Amino acid sequence: MDSGTVGLVTAGVGVTGTLVGTWFTQWRADVRERERVAAEERRERSRANDEADRARESRLFEHRRTIYAEVIRLYHFWIDASGEIELGLWPEPEEDAWRPLMLSVSEVDLYGSQEAGQAARRLVAALRALIDGPAGTYQEARDACAAFIDAARFDLGAPPRIFPGGTRELTREPTAGPAVTDQTRSEGN
């Protein structure tokens, strides 16, 4: 090989190496850029989903709070009405008279937790037993209302109510599911 050929081969190898190196560098930069853009898009989607979840939770919270308050208001209406019905100051209620309470319980089922829905249905059953027949007592209706309030407070994230003997709160058991229980906490624990 003469010196001219060696120079051409050397120049060809140098140009080829430079081209391959430039191409490889550009390819790696493109890969990094695509990864950066994909990560940015994932973060943006995650942020948008988080904002949508917060907005949905906020709307649902307002619906739950409003409907829980409505059920409690209707409970007090029916407790007052039961006294007037007992005294004969008010006629026996027609079946349609229960409609607002039943619609409210349906909304609790729609917007609230399963525990709150079950407690609301027990509350309606206790009120109907109290008003429609001799089987119900005021204490059963009060207990059903207390269970509903506890479930509603738990669902809304409010702290448990404090009673003289301790707290009454909704507890979750891993296998048996949620249950309303009375738990007393001593000052030492």
Side-chain angles (χ1 to χ4, degrees), residues 53-120:
D53 288 346
R54 278 193 297 276
R56 188 184 81 247
E57 277 301 313
S58 176
R59 283 191 312 276
L60 287 178
F61 178 85
E62 288 302 315
H63 287 303
R64 287 192 309 258
R65 187 172 61 89
T66 301
I67 198 60
Y68 292 163
E70 179 66 11
V71 169
I72 293 167
R73 185 191 69 77
L74 290 169
Y75 160 79
H76 288 291
F77 167 80
W78 281 108
I79 286 294
D80 292 345
S82 70
E84 292 179 11
I85 291 169
E86 272 185 25
L87 296 174
L89 302 174
W90 220 43
E92 288 290 323
E94 299 290 324
E95 190 61 33
D96 285 348
W98 293 100
R99 187 170 176 77
L101 182 59
M102 296 308 294
L103 290 174
S104 295
V105 169
S106 295
E107 286 188 54
V108 169
D109 282 335
L110 180 63
Y111 295 119
S113 67
Q114 182 178 359
E115 295 85 7
Q118 290 171 349

Side-chain angles (χ1 to χ4, degrees), residues 15-78:
V15 168
T16 303
T18 303
L19 289 175
V20 168
T22 303
W23 174 83
F24 182 75
T25 303
Q26 185 61 46
W27 174 74
R28 284 302 301 151
D30 289 346
V31 167
R32 279 192 305 271
E33 180 66 16
R34 279 193 301 267
E35 289 172 353
R36 186 189 63 77
V37 167
E40 236 176 67
E41 288 173 354
R42 280 192 306 272
R43 278 192 302 272
E44 183 60 29
R45 270 195 309 271
S46 176
R47 187 190 61 74
N49 288 341
D50 289 347
E51 285 178 11
D53 288 346
R54 278 193 297 276
R56 188 184 81 247
E57 277 301 313
S58 176
R59 283 191 312 276
L60 287 178
F61 178 85
E62 288 302 315
H63 287 303
R64 287 192 309 258
R65 187 172 61 89
T66 301
I67 198 60
Y68 292 163
E70 179 66 11
V71 169
I72 293 167
R73 185 191 69 77
L74 290 169
Y75 160 79
H76 288 291
F77 167 80
W78 281 108

Side-chain angles (χ1 to χ4, degrees), residues 126-139:
L127 284 172
R128 291 197 73 150
L130 175 66
I131 292 173
D132 290 344
T137 65
Y138 282 102
Q139 186 60 45

